[in-house]
Every structure is written in C-alpha cells, then in structure tokens.
C-alpha cells in the first residue's frame, strides 16, 4: 500500500523503515533534506515539500503526520488538508490532545477528507518490536488503512493468549484496535500515558527505598547493602511486577547502578496532565496518577534517586534526553 510519511524523527523514520520492509511504498517529507535523503537510501520516495509529497500519492491518498504535538502538528495537518481532496485521509500519529482531533475531524469532514488519530506506543524500539496502536476515526478510512496498521503492529508474537479471547473478533491480539470515532484513539493513548506515569513512579520509589536501605541513620542491624541490578533482574523472572518498563529499568541499572548519567530532571509530555483533566471532568478519583504527575513537577526543583530512575526509564523507552535543570 502507498503512504505518505511527514516527519522523519526517531519515530517517523523507524516506522517508515518498518513499513518499507513490509512491502509498502512510502513517500516521505521532512524539514531536513538530509533526513529525506537517508530514507530514500532505505527505499522511500523522497519529496521536497508537502505539495510534492501529495502530488506523488495516488488517490485516494493517505498521509501520516509524525511531528511534535501542538503547533507543529496543527500547521502540518492544516496545510495537508488544503492540498488533499475528497476521499483522502490525514493520519495524526503523534501525541495530540484528543479534543483537537475532534475539532479537526469535523473541519475536514466538510471537505470530504477523513481524519484518523493514532495513539502510538513503542518508542525507539518499535522498528523491531512493533508499535501498539490505538486508532480513532471513520470506520471506512480505518479499514482501508488496515494493511498499514497490521505491518506496524507487533502481531501475536510469543505473548500467551488470554484464555477465551480467541472467541472475540478483534485485532487487539495483533497489537492495534479501532477505538471509535476521531479523538478516541488519542484519548485511549492519553490515559495509557497517565498510567505509565504511575507505574514508573512506583518502580522509582521502590528502588529509592532499596538504595537508602544502607543509610547510616538506620540501626546497624537493619541496614542492607542491596544489589539493585540483581533485584531488577530477578523481578523480571516470574514476578507479578514484571513488565517491559522493568526490563528497561534492569538494563539501565546494569549499565550504571548509581544512575550517575542522570540528574533526575523529569519532563512530562502533557498527556499526564490531560489525563488528570479528563478525570476531573468525569469526577473520577486518580490519586496515584495525579501524585505521579506532581512528582515530576517536583523533580525540576530537587532530585532524588527515584527521579533518576524515572529519567533512565524515559531515556530507555523513548530516547528522551534530560532537559537542563532550571536555576
């Protein structure tokens, strides 16, 4: 299948490569001509502008936007909408606010253009592991793009099947689902990221307790000099708290048990905040998720080993680089 890919950063470039390997034809665009040239070497068709990209796509066209959320995404999808025609589809695979998706979908529907929002999880590892996708948009457009989603998704793999799930008609086992109308995909991804904050915070606080178990302030008979890399590793083997985030934690601690590379300045992508706002709108108590978000705010003022753990996990799954601490 033919697809346009706009934005060739860490995620966009790797998704393009995975799709090319799966036999799809990719027409690519980026603000960096070098990024376009690099993907052309890998088999993509390069373009010099959005106009050029759209001209190289066959109707009905589909263009996937993978640029930073906010103004960059807004300006890009609006520019594409001016170039596209009835029956074409714009896909936003970034971390947009779901209410923006609802607004854009209504706006583009007047022109007959489909708008599909795809909450995408997989980070820098997705090119090999595949990407978990939560999709919102018109059924017609989502079904037409199914070959793209199927190639990007992890597939069944070696994960044990949930007993009884084989009786359901769903692509969930393959690693992607159509959540509902435009906006629903990013809504599900938003809450996913809010939960992610809570899980990461729990690991971070637990390992901070381990690190301080040898504190001189404790009675000598209950001081423990614990091996943090070993604890993370053993928990990966049969523990009920095992997860991919724990895998990445074990990797970071094995490389650097003191996490000396990290200051503990932890950013938030915005989706944790949006999750809390949605909970307030729905009158849903989210004590853990809100506390995890506030811990990130605190990390920009003072740093603990727990914050270094959070920073290490973010770097491992998403390639996120710490911002410099504010004075």
């Amino acid at each position: 299948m033919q697809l346009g890919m706009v934005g060739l950063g860490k995620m966009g470039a790797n998704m393009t490569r995975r799709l090319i390997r799966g036999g799809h034809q990719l027409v690519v665009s980026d603000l960096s001509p070098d990024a376009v040239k690099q993907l052309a070497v890998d088999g993509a068709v390069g373009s010099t502008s959005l106009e050029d990209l759209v001209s190289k796509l066959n109707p009905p066209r589909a263009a996937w936007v993978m640029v930073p959320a906010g103004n960059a995404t807004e300006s890009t999808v609006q520019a594409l909408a001016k170039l596209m025609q009835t029956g074409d589809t714009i896909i936003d695979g970034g971390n947009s606010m779901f209410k923006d998706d609802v607004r854009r979908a209504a706006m583009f529907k007047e022109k007959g253009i489909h708008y599909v929002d795809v909450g995408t999880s997989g980070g820098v590892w997705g090119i090999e592991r595949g990407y978990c996708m939560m999709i919102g948009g018109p059924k017609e457009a989502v079904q037409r793009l199914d070959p793209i989603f199927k190639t990007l998704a992890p597939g069944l793999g070696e994960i044990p099947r949930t007993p009884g799930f084989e009786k359901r008609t769903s692509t969930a086992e393959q690693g992607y689902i159509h959540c509902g109308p435009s906006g629903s995909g990013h809504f599900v991804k938003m809450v996913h990221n809010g939960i992610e904050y809570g899980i990461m915070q729990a690991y971070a606080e637990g390992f901070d307790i381990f690190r301080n178990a040898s504190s001189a302030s404790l009675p000598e008979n209950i001081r423990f000099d614990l091996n943090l890399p070993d604890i993370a590793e053993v928990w990966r083997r049969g523990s009920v708290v095992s997860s991919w985030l724990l895998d990445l934690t074990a990797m970071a601690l094995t490389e650097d048990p003191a996490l000396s590379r990290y200051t503990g300045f932890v950013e938030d992508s915005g989706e944790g905040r949006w999750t809390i706002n949605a909970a307030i709108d729905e009158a849903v108590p989210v004590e853990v998720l809100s506390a995890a978000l506030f811990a990130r705010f605190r990390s920009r003022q003072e740093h603990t080993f727990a914050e270094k753990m959070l920073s290490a996990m973010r770097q491992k799954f998403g390639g996120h680089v710490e911002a410099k601490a504010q004075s």
Side-chain angles (χ1 to χ4, degrees):
M1 185 174 181
Q2 189 189 50
L3 179 74
M5 180 66 73
V6 181
L8 303 175
K10 289 177 290 190
M11 290 279 282
N14 281 348
M15 292 170 73
T16 297
R17 292 187 177 100
R18 186 173 174 93
L19 288 167
I20 291 172
R21 292 177 189 175
H24 300 280
Q25 183 191 57
L26 272 291
V27 182
V28 298
S29 174
D30 193 86
L31 293 177
S32 167
D34 288 340
V36 173
K37 290 177 183 177
Q38 191 171 5
L39 265 296
V41 171
D42 292 332
V45 176
S47 67
T48 57
S49 64
L50 290 182
E51 290 85 354
D52 189 30
L53 177 136
V54 171
S55 72
K56 291 177 177 176
L57 294 174
N58 302 319
R61 305 169 187 84
W64 188 304
V65 177
M66 208 66 188
V67 301
N71 292 335
T73 294
E74 185 71 32
S75 60
T76 302
V77 298
Q78 294 292 349
L80 278 172
K82 292 178 181 178
L83 299 168
M84 289 185 146
Q85 300 174 351
T86 298
D88 291 346
T89 302
I90 296 174
I91 308 149
D92 177 9
N95 286 329
S96 291
M97 171 57 159
F98 74 95
K99 293 180 181 178
D100 288 332
D101 297 317
V102 174
R103 170 179 54 81
R104 293 175 194 142
M107 184 185 308
F108 300 156
K109 186 177 181 179
E110 295 180 2
K111 292 187 62 177
I113 297 171
H114 300 302
Y115 181 88
V116 174
D117 55 290
V118 183
T120 310
S121 182
V124 296
W125 301 81
I127 187 171
E128 301 299 338
R129 289 171 54 99
Y131 301 88
C132 173
M133 289 167 290
M134 297 138 271
I135 305 159
K139 185 176 181 180
E140 171 191 347
V142 173
Q143 287 182 337
R144 189 174 76 82
L145 292 165
D146 189 73
I148 296 294
F149 300 136
K150 190 171 184 178
T151 300
L152 287 172
L156 192 61
E158 298 178 358
I159 298 174
R161 303 187 77 174
T162 300
F165 198 88
E166 72 278 1
K167 299 175 184 177
R168 300 174 62 90
T169 303
S170 172
T171 57
E173 283 189 319
Q174 300 300 316
Y176 66 103
I177 57 170
H178 182 200
C179 301
S182 297
S184 62
H186 278 148
F187 183 84
V188 175
K189 176 57 162 51
M190 174 189 76
V191 178
H192 163 284
N193 280 26
I195 292 170
E196 178 186 291
Y197 283 25
I199 295 172
M200 291 172 69
Q201 188 66 30
Y203 283 137
E205 292 177 7
F207 277 87
D208 206 0
I209 293 170
F210 290 152
R211 182 174 180 272
N212 286 283
S214 60
S215 172
S217 64
L218 294 169
E220 188 173 357
N221 65 331
I222 58 168
R223 288 183 210 160
F224 304 117
D225 187 12
L226 300 169
N227 187 310
L228 273 58
D230 278 4
I231 293 171
E233 186 63 30
V234 77
W235 281 0
R236 295 181 62 221
R237 315 287 172 171
S239 164
V240 297
V241 297
S242 60
S243 70
W244 186 42
L245 283 173
L246 183 61
D247 295 344
L248 300 176
T249 299
M251 188 185 302
L253 288 170
T254 298
E255 292 171 356
D256 178 10
L259 301 181
S260 56
R261 292 172 48 199
Y262 305 94
T263 65
F265 187 103
V266 187
E267 288 282 11
D268 66 285
S269 64
E271 290 179 302
R273 303 184 190 207
W274 301 338
T275 301
I276 305 307
N277 289 337
I280 292 170
D281 290 342
E282 299 169 13
V284 174
V286 286
E287 294 94 335
V288 171
L289 305 190
S290 57
L293 176 64
F294 296 152
R296 295 193 177 200
F297 296 166
R298 186 199 62 226
S299 78
R300 297 162 206 172
Q301 300 171 347
E302 55 180 306
H303 310 305
T304 66
F305 188 77
E307 269 90 50
K308 290 187 178 185
M309 285 282 296
L310 291 174
S311 211
M313 282 186 268
R314 292 185 83 242
Q315 194 279 326
K316 285 297 178 189
F317 71 71
H320 302 291
V321 179
E322 283 183 335
K324 293 183 179 179
Q326 298 171 348
S327 59

